[in-house]
Every structure is written in structure tokens, then in C-alpha cells.
Amino acid sequence: MKGYTTVSISQTLMEAILESAKALYPKETILLLRGEKSKDIIKITDLIVPPLATYGQGFATIPTHMLPIDFSIVGTVHSHPSGNLKPSPTDLNHFWGSILMIVSFPFVNETNVAVYNREGEKLTLK
Ligand SMILES: [Zn+2]
């Protein structure tokens, strides 16, 4: 596997993502991830609510031309109320940034979280 292999996130940010997913359940939450890239690690530093996100209608409905031109944004996170941790074909077709994070129902802890690269390969989360 080339490129980034590991994504690091603080407990505080992880909890904020899980809380957001719980709050919007059964709709999907969508957030942008801001972070710092170094060699093979992406460190997530902030969460950003995307402009004009239409919650609950799927990841594909973020109007990508409305997204900020901000190179500190490393990817996106969205929730899967179904409980499935795998990215859907739609998720991979609308991949934005370097990483795609998915949080799945019941949004309790890191076992309900997975992160993927553009090829759909699972990365290490710590
Ligand atoms: Zn999805």
C-alpha cells in the first residue's frame, strides 16, 4: 500500500464525531476533516461542518463545488445509520480529499469507526 497508512485522531474529536452521528441518527451526519499530513500519517486536528450539507440524504449530496478551497482539509467523515462500516460505491465515487472516515451505528466507540484511502483500502486508526 502506498501513501498514507495511518490516521491519528484525539479522543475528544472522536467523541465529537460520534456525538454528531448520534444526534442526527437516523439521518446521516457529514463533517469535513481538517488535519496535518506528514510522511505516511494524517493527524486530524479539527472538524468542520460543510456548507449547504443536506443531512440525511447521503454523502453524495454535498455540492462539491461549494466546498472551501482549503488544503488543510484532508477528507470527510459521515455516518452509516445502517451499521455497515464499509464504504458504498457512491462513497468511493464521491471521494473528496485523501481519506474517507465512516462511523457506524450504534456510534459507541472506535470499533464503530473505520477510515479508508481513495482506493478503498482500510487505514490504521489510532
Ligand atoms: Zn456512506
Side-chain angles (χ1 to χ4, degrees), residues 80-111:
H80 277 179
S82 65
N84 189 343
L85 262 182
K86 291 212 164 67
S88 68
T90 310
D91 291 342
L92 292 174
N93 286 337
H94 292 81
F95 206 107
W96 198 78
S98 301
I99 56 169
L100 169 71
M101 186 182 285
I102 292 171
V103 293
S104 70
F105 185 82
F107 317 120
V108 176
N109 56 36
E110 53 277 6
T111 65

Side-chain angles (χ1 to χ4, degrees), residues 28 30 35-36 45 55 57 63-64 67 73 80 82 92 104 115:
E28 288 184 20
I30 305 168
E36 293 162 4
T45 55
Y55 289 114
Q57 294 180 24
T64 43
L67 290 174
I73 293 176
H80 277 179
S82 65
L92 292 174
S104 70
V115 58

Side-chain angles (χ1 to χ4, degrees), residues 1-17:
M1 193 192 293
K2 57 180 161 56
Y4 303 105
T5 58
T6 304
V7 175
S8 94
I9 184 167
S10 71
Q11 193 65 32
T12 311
L13 286 181
M14 191 74 262
E15 279 166 15
I17 292 170

